[in-house]
Structure formats: structure tokens, C-alpha cells
Amino acid sequence: MLKRLATSRWATPLVLSHAPFGCTGIVVAVTAGYLAIGLLAFAGWRLTGNDAWVEDFFRLPGALLLVWLAAIEVLFSLRVSYEFSPGQPLHRAWRLIAFSAGFDLAGAILIQVLGVKSALNPLAHTAWWSAPAASAIRQSGLVMGGSCRFAMLAAGLFWVVTVYRRSGFRARLAAVDWMVLTLFGAYIVREAGDVVVAIRGGVRPSLGMVLGWPVDPLLLLLLGQAMLLNRSVKHTGDGWIGRCWRAFSLGIFLVSLGDVSIWAANSGFLPWPWSALQWYVWIPAAGAFALAPAYQLEAIYQARGTWDPGVPDQ
């Protein structure tokens, strides 16, 4: 069933004709190249003591990379969704994943471009621009790229897990999976306790902060879904579809790691300036999310090269 769904012959011809065969190598190369440049900037900062090395990287090339990867994820996710008939479960799943990618793109634009004072931001040169306005823009971006994005992704992966289970690819979490989930759950409880203490101490959370509270529980849910998918695709071998869900798993894990590292840095567990290395986690995470739909497109493209697209499924 999964093979038939993954190679549905009711695809839109125009979408298929523009499928970026071989694009995964480009995404990997660009992401790895930018990450290497960013780490060189970090080394330059540590050697010279001039933090402009890192600031300039994240304000210009780093910001462009994150927006580009989010846009690639949107484009590829939409193309994959068109490869499945509206009645198929994977069509619904990939539409939800595409919505998730759209929120990610909106969040990246607001956080990386419109929410900072840089050469990329047209708003920074207007009379309207101010520090409070920039903060509000970034907060909106965090909500879109956080709670909204992960809620849509969790809904999409729910349908993917359902399809795998109905197709007989049943998998269970291993002991190491439960250990990771337990540790992350303990982190969520600890962070929730910190929030309660802060509120009792007189802190009044903003609306943006409240809307961001679902992020950690959603990441816990996504981790569980990603682990189930990762266990399920082991039965399919090292094909393109397996790589797709492994890329999602890697992206979710890296985002969770980045989330924990922010808390650890703010709590003093990661000393400055080495705690700044946490900023670089978001680059491979964004690359993994862009690669996931690209791998699925590669799977469809290769399958179409061996099957006659003019014959409907039996």
C-alpha cells in the first residue's frame, strides 16, 4: 500500500515535470557550506575578540540561508502533496506538513529579516521602526515558527504514522527511545516549574510567551512520532522514503536539542562564550527539514522512471 501511495499515478503532470531530481545534494552542500563558514566566523571571533564576525554572519548569510531552506521546504512539501490524490491519507499528511513549512517560512522572515536591524530589512529604514516594534515582530515570528508550525507538523506526522500502521509497518519504541522521551519530559516539567516560580514572583508573561508555551509539549509529541517513524522505516531499507522520515526525525531531534540548549545557557549550565555554539544547531535542523520532502520527491521521481504513468492503479 505504501509503495502504491508513494508512486500514485494521479499526480499533476506539471508538478512532476518540475520535480527537482538530484536536488538533495544541493541542499546538503549549501547547508554544510554555510555551517562551515559560520563556524569559521565563530573561530574568528574567539581569535580576535571581535564579535562582529558572528553577528555579521547571522544577520546576513545565516539569515538568508534559514529563509531559503524554509522556502525550499514549503516548495517541496507542496509538490509532494500534489503527487497524491485528495482522498489518500498521505495527501492530507503532506498538506499539513506544507502548512507547517509555511509557518516556518513566515517565522523565519519575521525573526531573521523583519525583526532585526540589518541590510536585509526594509522596515529598519522607516520612521515606524523601533525597538518595541522589532520585539513584537520577532515574538510573532516565534509563535508562527513555534506553536503554529509544530502543531501542523504533529498533525501531519500523525497521519503518516497511521498510514504506516495500516500498511503493516508496525513499530514500537525501544528502551533508548523511552529514555530520551523521559529525559525531555523531565526537562519540560522543570521548565514549567520555573515558569510557575516566576509568575508567583510577580512576572506577568506576555501574550507571545503564553502562545509559546505549547512548543515544548509539541516537541515531545513530535519526538515520539519521529522515533516511531524511524523504527518503522527500518523495515523498508535505506531508500529515499526512509531517508525522508529519518530527515524529519533528525530535524525534530536537533530542534529539541536547541530548545534544551537555550534553557541550559540561560540557566548558566553552558558557560559563555561557548554557549554561543547553540546558535549553529538551527542550521542543520533547517537543512534536515528541507531535505525531508526533497527525499520524498526523489522517491517519486525514481519510481516514475520505472512505472508507466499512463496506467491507473489497480
Side-chain angles (χ1 to χ4, degrees):
M1 178 179 177
L2 276 177
K3 184 175 182 181
R4 294 180 64 189
L5 288 175
T7 55
S8 169
R9 296 187 182 86
W10 301 107
T12 304
L14 179 61
V15 173
L16 180 62
S17 66
H18 289 79
F21 185 68
C23 63
T24 54
I26 297 175
V27 175
V28 171
V30 172
T31 303
Y34 269 78
L35 182 60
I37 294 173
L39 292 175
L40 287 175
F42 181 86
W45 168 37
R46 299 309 306 137
L47 290 173
T48 64
N50 184 3
D51 57 8
W53 286 76
V54 174
E55 287 187 5
D56 290 344
F57 170 76
F58 280 104
R59 285 183 185 274
L60 291 173
L64 287 173
L65 173 68
L66 293 175
V67 172
W68 179 74
L69 287 173
I72 290 294
E73 184 188 358
V74 173
L75 175 62
F76 289 174
S77 298
L78 284 173
R79 287 183 174 180
V80 172
S81 71
Y82 291 140
E83 295 294 336
F84 300 99
S85 301
Q88 293 177 324
L90 284 181
H91 173 83
R92 183 181 304 172
W94 277 103
R95 277 301 172 95
L96 289 168
I97 292 172
F99 274 116
S100 170
F103 280 119
D104 183 27
L105 176 59
I109 293 173
L110 291 174
I111 296 171
Q112 304 296 332
V113 179
L114 300 180
V116 296
K117 190 173 183 179
S118 71
L120 299 176
N121 186 1
L123 301 179
H125 307 287
T126 65
W128 175 83
W129 177 261
S130 65
S135 178
I137 291 174
R138 288 194 300 272
Q139 194 65 58
S140 299
L142 289 172
V143 173
M144 289 188 179
S147 299
C148 296
R149 172 195 181 188
F150 296 135
M152 290 292 101
L153 183 57
L157 293 188
F158 167 80
W159 283 105
V160 176
V161 172
T162 301
V163 170
Y164 268 83
R165 287 188 173 276
R166 290 176 178 174
S167 301
F169 293 93
R170 296 180 179 273
R172 293 185 177 182
L173 296 178
V176 65
D177 300 329
W178 285 111
M179 184 180 300
V180 172
L181 291 175
T182 300
L183 289 174
F184 193 74
Y187 154 73
I188 294 176
V189 172
R190 169 64 186 273
E191 194 173 40
D194 292 342
V195 171
V196 171
V197 170
I199 293 176
R200 287 179 177 177
V203 175
R204 293 294 176 264
S206 64
L207 177 61
M209 293 177 62
V210 174
L211 293 177
W213 286 346
V215 167
D216 289 338
L218 284 170
L219 284 176
L220 180 63
L221 173 60
L222 286 168
L223 271 177
Q225 292 175 322
M227 290 173 178
L228 277 176
L229 283 173
N230 192 40
R231 297 292 177 187
S232 299
V233 297
K234 285 186 176 181
H235 301 288
T236 65
D238 191 31
W240 291 111
I241 295 178
R243 295 178 189 179
C244 164
W245 305 122
R246 291 189 188 102
F248 270 124
S249 300
L250 177 60
I252 293 167
F253 173 78
L254 289 174
V255 169
S256 302
L257 179 62
D259 187 52
V260 174
S261 67
I262 291 175
W263 169 81
N266 293 336
S267 301
F269 295 111
L270 292 179
W272 181 263
W274 301 107
S275 60
L277 288 172
Q278 60 163 312
W279 303 337
Y280 295 91
V281 173
W282 309 106
I283 294 177
F289 281 113
L291 277 173
Y295 282 141
Q296 179 68 65
L297 275 179
E298 298 277 20
I300 294 171
Y301 213 100
Q302 287 200 356
R304 289 305 175 84
T306 57
W307 289 27
D308 181 4
V311 181
D313 286 330
Q314 301 296 324

